[in-house]
Amino acid sequence: MPWSYSSLSLFKQCPRKYYHLRVLKDVVEPETEHLIYGSAVHKAAEEYGRDGIPIPEKFDFIKPMLDTLLAAPGTPLFEHKMGVTKDRRPCDFDDAEAWWRGIADLMILQPEQETALLVDYKTGKSARYADHDQLKLLSLAIFAHYPEIDTVKAGLLFVVSNEFLQIEIQRDARSEEHTSELQSRV
């Protein structure tokens, strides 16, 4: 059964809840106001960046942040789905062999610099409890899918509080350590 950062977080929060929502699927969690808002922000950002669709007025505050990100050179990919097999080979998100799945909100490939920019949008009101593990996992998937990329410059963009927390991940021995560490958590 494939896992993701969100499924692992749900399991850590409450194994019984995870079991009912993701394994038995006998419970459907109602959409909260926060989830609806977050989905709308993600959709507005994707459509603006990918298709040039104007951002709805209620989300106008994210436009300057997105314009700054989209001004970066490279090939932007929006809501980019990736899968990785158990032996860390790249695969499609829906591939039967997928052991891990993840979606990059915004990824900008810069192969000439052997770099990828990775941004995950967060709609929470504060970055106080930010967790970079999601960015680390997505970076490992980028390294699997794009062998020409050696550095991922990643950030959590808290759009409401206008905070941007950054990390840089290199494809080297430390990446292998991150992989082993993350595999041991699962």
Side-chain angles (χ1 to χ4, degrees), residues 75-133:
T75 304
L77 302 170
F78 304 93
E79 299 298 323
H80 185 66
K81 296 179 176 183
M82 294 178 281
V84 176
T85 64
K86 191 163 186 161
D87 60 352
R88 294 181 294 200
R89 287 181 295 111
C91 66
D92 288 336
F93 185 85
D94 294 319
D95 193 305
E97 295 289 313
W99 174 69
W100 173 88
R101 294 177 177 158
I103 301 173
D105 293 343
L106 173 61
M107 183 169 67
I108 301 174
L109 298 175
Q110 302 173 325
E112 303 81 25
Q113 293 85 24
E114 300 176 342
T115 300
L117 307 179
L118 172 65
V119 179
D120 192 74
Y121 311 126
K122 300 294 181 192
T123 54
K125 293 181 181 176
S126 169
R128 178 183 290 180
Y129 302 108
D131 179 358
H132 288 105
D133 283 350

Side-chain angles (χ1 to χ4, degrees), residues 1-113:
M1 183 172 162
W3 64 279
S4 65
Y5 173 79
S6 61
S7 64
L8 184 59
S9 297
L10 176 61
F11 182 82
K12 286 172 31 179
Q13 177 191 40
C14 179
R16 177 174 274 168
K17 183 177 180 180
Y18 171 86
Y19 182 69
H20 285 283
L21 290 173
R22 303 285 173 97
V23 178
L24 289 180
K25 299 181 182 180
D26 62 348
V27 174
V28 176
E29 194 168 34
E31 284 197 44
T32 65
E33 186 178 317
H34 297 295
L35 287 175
I36 294 168
Y37 180 82
S39 294
V41 167
H42 277 75
K43 183 178 179 185
E46 176 186 10
E47 290 177 347
Y48 175 71
R50 186 192 63 219
D51 305 321
I53 294 174
I55 294 173
E57 190 175 320
K58 67 181 175 181
F59 302 133
D60 248 1
F61 65 94
I62 68 172
K63 188 178 181 304
M65 293 176 260
L66 291 175
D67 287 341
T68 299
L69 292 169
L70 296 171
T75 304
L77 302 170
F78 304 93
E79 299 298 323
H80 185 66
K81 296 179 176 183
M82 294 178 281
V84 176
T85 64
K86 191 163 186 161
D87 60 352
R88 294 181 294 200
R89 287 181 295 111
C91 66
D92 288 336
F93 185 85
D94 294 319
D95 193 305
E97 295 289 313
W99 174 69
W100 173 88
R101 294 177 177 158
I103 301 173
D105 293 343
L106 173 61
M107 183 169 67
I108 301 174
L109 298 175
Q110 302 173 325
E112 303 81 25
Q113 293 85 24

Side-chain angles (χ1 to χ4, degrees), residues 151-169:
T151 302
V152 175
K153 296 180 180 181
L156 298 171
L157 177 58
F158 287 81
V159 297
V160 174
S161 61
N162 197 23
E163 296 174 84
F164 190 58
L165 306 180
Q166 300 175 62
I167 62 170
E168 186 171 299
I169 301 164

